[in-house]
Structure formats: C-alpha cells, structure tokens
Amino acid sequence: MKDIPTSPGARRIRAWVAEGEHERQDFKLTITDARKIARSISAFANHSGGRLLIGVKDNGVIAGVRNEEDIYVVEQAAQSYCSPPQDVSFRAYSVDTSVTVIVADIARADTRPVEVIEAEGVRKAYFRVADENIAAHHIMVEGWRLQASAGPRAIKLGHDESRILAYIDAAPAEGVDETRIAVDLHISRSRVESLLISLASLGLISFAFDGTRFRIAPQKD
C-alpha cells in the first residue's frame, strides 16, 4: 500500500461513521470508477471541503479497505478527471488488527468551479447537498467564474440589482427561480441572469436545493 501515515484511530473512525454521510462526508466501500469519484471531489471542493471514508459501507458498517488500488483511483480522479486538478491527502486508520480505513481529505478549492471531465469531454461542476453530489446551477457556476476572474472588488449595486435582492429577501425560504424574478420584476430573463451572476460572484445570494433543482435564495448569515 502507498506509504501514508497510519495511527490507531478506531475511536475517531467510529465517531465519524456515527455522524453518517453528510455534506462533508461520504462513505465508500470500494472505489473502481474514477469519473464517479471525481464528482464527489468536485462537489466537496466547490462546497466547503470534505472527506471520503474508504472501507465503510453505505449503511455505516466498517468493512475495511479491500484493495490498495483504491487510493490510486482517487488520485486519478482528482488529477485526470477534475479541472483544475485537485490535491487529495490520505490518512490510514487501523480499526483493529485486520481492518484499515483510508480517509481521503478534499479541501475547499481556492478557485472555483472545479469541474468533472465527463464523457465526450463535457465539463460539469458539482455541489454537495446533504449526502448527494448535485450538478451545480449554471448561475452558481458562472458566478464562480466571474469571482475568479474579477477578484475582490467593491460592492456597487445598481437599481435593478437592489430590486432583485429585495425580491429574493422577501421570497419563501426554499428560494425562487430566475424566470419568476424576471416576470414579477418586468426585467428580461437574460438581464436577470446576468445580474444574478454578478450578485453570486459578490457572495450576495445563495442557492437552495428543493429536492429537484437549485433555486435562488438570500445569502445565509
């Protein structure tokens, strides 16, 4: 197995497993599909980072790592299927004399979006929602791109931006879609999208997932 630090971490692993899968943690019994695991890396990197517990079943049973090649598949996913490539660090924990769990740590990306190179070269960014990797909303993705290219800048809101923010603040907790904003405020759909991208890049709006799709929501405190 690859030379990575090991420690007797049975208590730590069991505590993590007791948390279940969530927005910063995913269980993987084995890893065989680099592109599939790249989606998890993308989702964690575009959110707030996270960890993969390799050798743990979906139901929380600690079975241990079965194939040392799992580490290399994760590295392949991070370097060959993620754009830009991501660094993943690994830690090995001995749960007992015959069971080892590998923890793969993924940091929040300094530059987003982190996209997955899907079949036929299609690129898609993912975002972590609870225990799922969800394809990111296109306004979210373009907001990240603008933020990366423009860098820090002063917040200057025009009349329409202020109207949109006020509308979103008054919207239901589950958020609202851009078409509804355009219709209710009598602003063209294309302009609404452009302004939402700008607001997203400034961190003034967030995105709520309603189980089917992302909707525009007020920025969380």
Side-chain angles (χ1 to χ4, degrees):
M1 183 173 291
K2 185 179 179 180
D3 185 19
I4 55 179
T6 58
S7 63
R11 185 176 300 174
R12 177 173 293 182
I13 290 296
R14 291 193 176 103
W16 282 340
V17 169
E19 295 175 9
E21 294 181 305
H22 50 70
E23 67 181 20
R24 299 201 64 193
Q25 180 168 278
D26 204 359
F27 299 159
K28 297 294 180 186
L29 177 58
T30 60
I31 294 177
T32 57
D33 187 332
R35 182 172 279 122
K36 183 176 180 180
I37 209 66
R39 295 172 190 140
S40 292
I41 295 171
S42 167
F44 283 136
N46 286 327
H47 192 271
S48 54
R51 59 178 172 254
L52 301 172
L53 271 58
I54 306 169
V56 178
K57 296 181 179 181
D58 288 342
N59 62 4
V61 171
I62 301 172
V65 175
R66 299 181 177 184
N67 190 336
E68 63 184 50
E69 293 298 317
D70 288 351
I71 295 173
Y72 300 100
V73 178
V74 174
E75 290 182 328
Q76 180 189 24
Q79 294 296 315
S80 300
Y81 288 95
C82 287
S83 178
Q86 299 298 295
D87 292 324
V88 178
S89 61
F90 298 92
R91 294 173 285 167
Y93 291 90
S94 298
V95 179
D96 60 38
T97 55
S98 61
V99 175
T100 298
V101 172
I102 300 294
V103 178
D105 291 300
I106 298 102
R108 180 186 185 278
D110 292 329
T111 301
R112 299 180 293 176
V114 174
E115 296 176 298
V116 175
I117 304 171
E118 299 281 8
E120 300 179 356
V122 173
R123 293 172 184 253
K124 185 179 292 186
Y126 291 84
F127 196 72
R128 190 75 175 174
V129 178
D131 60 351
E132 295 185 84
N133 305 321
I134 308 295
H137 193 290
H138 70 281
I139 290 175
M140 186 187 301
V141 174
E142 293 306 319
W144 290 332
R145 292 192 201 283
L146 180 57
Q147 185 180 58
S149 63
R153 59 199 190 280
I155 297 175
K156 296 181 179 180
L157 300 180
H159 177 65
D160 284 344
E161 289 97 327
S162 297
R163 291 177 66 210
I164 289 173
L165 277 181
Y167 183 93
I168 294 169
D169 285 339
E174 64 269 21
V176 64
D177 65 39
E178 58 270 31
T179 300
R180 189 76 263 163
I181 296 172
V183 170
D184 288 352
L185 296 184
H186 305 289
I187 305 173
S188 72
R189 169 69 180 265
S190 60
R191 177 156 174 76
V192 166
E193 288 201 3
S194 177
L195 294 177
L196 287 172
I197 289 168
S198 179
L199 292 171
S201 75
L202 292 168
L204 296 179
I205 59 173
S206 63
F207 298 83
F209 190 70
D210 65 5
T212 303
R213 57 177 177 161
F214 282 106
R215 297 164 69 89
I216 315 299
Q219 179 57 48
K220 298 176 183 177
D221 295 331

